[in-house]
Amino acid sequence: MAELHDLTALEQAEGIREGTLSPLELTEHYLRRIDQLDQTLGAFITLTPEIARKEATAAEDEATAARREGRELPPLHGVPVPVKDLNLVAGVRCTFGSEAFSDHIPDVDDHVVTKLRAAGTVMLGKTNTPEFGLPCYTENKVAPPARTPWDLDRSAGGSSGGAAAAVAGGLAPVAHGSDGGGSIRIPSSVCGLFGIKPSRGRVSGGPVLYDISGLSTSGPIGRTVADAAVLLDVLAGPMPGDPYGAPSLPPCETFLAAARRRPAGRLRIVSLLTPPVPGVELHPDCRAAADGATALLRELGHHVDELELPVDDTVRRAFTAVWDVMALARPVPPGAEGLLQPLSRHLRERGGKVTGQEFADSMYAFRALGQMIADALLTPGTGYDAILTPTLAQPPALVGGLRNDADPDAEFAAMAAFTPFTPIYNATGQPAVSVPLHWTDEDLPIGVMFGGRYGEETTLISLSAELEEARPWAGRRPAVW
């Protein structure tokens, strides 16, 4: 017999609208699962059961009134959606994954939280993240490591590792994440989930702690394409003060609608399998995932070219400089620098040595890369509709396998070798998705990534939905489920 966490987020929302499922019943179910499993999975840093029960009760009252009055409800009304602990929720502890902020309680909501509240979602708590979201694994001093439910010896990735562990382990139906160098797509890949990094400006990063580099954005992680798409509908939209703005969707269009239709006609897709970081080798399992995706795309009638582009270290060097500066920009309380983990201290030290000229040159390199991809690969009418790569160059890493406190430079190099493909779309601002199409013989998930034209998430979502229909993955669940 199916349990509540077997239902998709959209199925849960439908039950709430029809009155066959109570938001409070659903919330209590997830709180029990968190109590049973989270010490193992490391999905949450801070739980908010009292807030969750209060919001669930209010959601039930509103759903009852809406049924009585014949009103429509928002598409995820009453559904639990945890928030990553890099984002502010007024009155709730926000650690940023750092011991230096273990007692930090903000008095303002980030805009994404404002959107989630307006949508009637229920916040179970704040999900686990590495310190300041800097590493691509989730291991810090304030919570247990986030582990992929597919192999508890392995990391759930980062920096949205807690969000992915929660969804993959059945502790939440969908989750809010954020992505500055792959931080939605990396954990989605290693946890067997679907994740969307939206176009720059699609989701507001305000009203405080803006990422002035433009690398980071919030986005959804879900078990299905439709669940992630509808959460993007909730999160998306401009807010006052936003420095960027993605093109608006056509009237009456939604990301969920894109997930419910297939691509219009035959798409032209280019497969790029050579890691863009010099000296990085692609693991055979990751190549097999991309090759399998290419074969499936061709079976579905799409055109796929396989190209080799010259390896250029310019983007890695530029990304490193900007990443170092953004690490330094995090306002650490006076006297708390010693509480930071070795990698954070190292990146902040390097950031202090980046000159203004180097920072400007790096930002120009990002813009040049975006223009080159737009001109050479994604020009409408003559270019490709999407770019296919592996999400990662290696299978899921062991907990502690990437961390190197004794040599942070070597650790950063290891992370670059693990994630050579993902930062490109943070640099350019283009949308990208990780699709869980492949599992290894050891039952480890391996994602493939599609990047698209700026502002055209709907193409990637429709394509992903077609792949999901051809090779369903949501019914494939880890043992902890």
Side-chain angles (χ1 to χ4, degrees):
M1 184 176 178
E3 295 196 59
L4 292 180
H5 62 279
D6 293 323
L7 302 174
T8 68
L10 283 167
E11 288 170 341
Q12 293 173 0
E14 182 180 9
I16 290 168
R17 284 194 301 274
E18 294 177 349
T20 60
L21 178 59
S22 158
L24 187 57
E25 176 190 10
L26 186 61
T27 296
E28 294 291 356
H29 177 82
Y30 281 115
L31 290 174
R32 283 193 299 273
R33 284 189 62 81
I34 292 168
D35 184 60
Q36 293 165 359
L37 296 172
D38 194 45
Q39 278 299 112
T40 300
L41 293 177
F44 288 87
I45 288 179
T46 300
L47 290 174
T48 56
E50 293 183 2
I51 292 174
R53 291 181 178 115
K54 181 179 179 181
E55 291 179 343
T57 299
E60 174 60 23
D61 291 344
E62 177 65 11
T64 300
R67 286 192 297 273
R68 184 175 62 247
E69 299 164 10
R71 289 188 285 108
E72 288 292 323
L73 289 168
L76 287 180
H77 183 85
V79 175
V81 183
V83 175
K84 185 176 175 179
D85 204 35
L86 292 184
N87 286 87
L88 307 182
V89 178
V92 176
R93 183 175 72 140
C94 182
T95 71
F96 307 112
S98 176
E99 194 175 29
F101 289 88
S102 58
D103 298 320
H104 172 235
I105 300 178
D107 58 4
V108 64
D109 283 340
D110 275 351
H111 286 326
V112 289
V113 176
T114 301
K115 299 267 191 180
L116 289 168
R117 291 189 194 278
T121 65
V122 174
M123 192 184 73
L124 298 169
K126 304 294 293 298
T127 55
N128 203 356
T129 185
E131 191 164 65
F132 306 146
L134 295 173
C136 61
Y137 58 82
T138 301
E139 301 165 33
N140 55 46
K141 296 180 181 179
V142 296
R147 301 172 186 270
T148 175
W150 293 94
D151 181 347
L152 295 175
D153 290 331
R154 295 179 185 266
S155 171
S159 63
S160 304
V167 176
L171 308 189
V174 287
H176 158 269
S178 59
D179 191 316
S183 293
I184 285 172
R185 293 157 288 155
I186 295 163
S188 294
S189 177
V190 302
C191 291
L193 302 170
F194 178 71
I196 306 172
K197 185 208 86 70
S199 299
R200 180 176 294 144
R202 178 69 69 198
V203 179
S204 175
V208 295
L209 299 179
Y210 276 107
D211 177 358
I212 59 170
S213 71
L215 291 176
S216 297
T217 179
S218 287
I221 296 176
R223 284 166 47 214
T224 70
V225 175
D227 279 359
V230 74
L231 181 53
L232 182 56
D233 281 321
V234 168
L235 297 172
M239 296 291 279
D242 284 352
Y244 307 105
S248 299
L249 296 179
C252 301
E253 171 73 305
T254 65
F255 297 113
L256 178 58
R260 289 176 167 165
R261 64 172 182 262
R262 300 304 165 256
R266 186 189 196 204
L267 297 184
R268 298 189 71 244
I269 297 165
V270 59
S271 173
L272 305 175
L273 300 189
T274 302
V277 175
V280 172
E281 296 293 328
L282 184 62
H283 191 280
D285 286 332
C286 300
R287 175 173 284 276
D291 288 342
T294 294
L296 179 57
L297 288 163
R298 287 171 175 160
E299 288 174 19
L300 294 170
H302 300 298
H303 176 89
V304 183
D305 286 333
E306 300 178 43
L307 300 182
E308 293 282 336
L309 296 182
V311 176
D312 185 346
D313 205 31
T314 302
V315 175
R316 186 196 64 82
R317 291 197 305 269
F319 187 88
T320 298
V322 174
W323 202 247
D324 291 347
V325 170
M326 296 313 298
L328 180 62
R330 180 67 64 175
V332 174
E337 197 80 20
L339 296 175
L340 302 185
Q341 293 181 264
L343 178 68
S344 300
R345 294 200 303 270
H346 178 70
L347 296 182
R348 289 167 64 83
E349 181 181 343
R350 289 197 325 199
K353 298 175 182 177
V354 176
T355 68
Q357 182 68 56
E358 289 169 336
F359 185 78
D361 288 346
S362 297
M363 295 297 291
Y364 276 119
F366 291 170
R367 303 299 169 260
L369 174 65
Q371 193 65 55
M372 183 275 290
I373 291 175
D375 291 344
L377 296 177
L378 297 176
T379 300
T382 59
Y384 295 99
D385 299 295
I387 300 170
L388 165 65
T389 68
T391 304
L392 301 171
Q394 301 168 24
L398 293 170
V399 172
L402 293 171
R403 186 169 173 174
N404 189 341
D405 289 349
D407 189 347
D409 262 331
E411 176 178 332
F412 197 79
M415 292 195 297
F418 186 64
T419 66
F421 299 100
T422 56
I424 290 171
Y425 299 111
N426 300 91
T428 65
Q430 297 165 246
V433 299
S434 183
V435 186
L437 287 178
H438 185 81
W439 269 257
T440 69
D441 292 340
E442 294 77 30
D443 212 27
L444 294 176
I446 305 285
V448 297
M449 183 166 64
F450 292 93
R453 297 187 188 98
Y454 179 71
E456 292 191 13
E457 291 93 334
T458 53
T459 298
L460 300 182
I461 289 169
S462 292
L463 175 61
S464 299
E466 183 181 35
L467 294 169
E468 181 182 29
E469 182 178 53
R471 190 175 295 167
W473 58 72
R476 187 167 187 162
R477 295 161 184 166
V480 299
W481 191 266

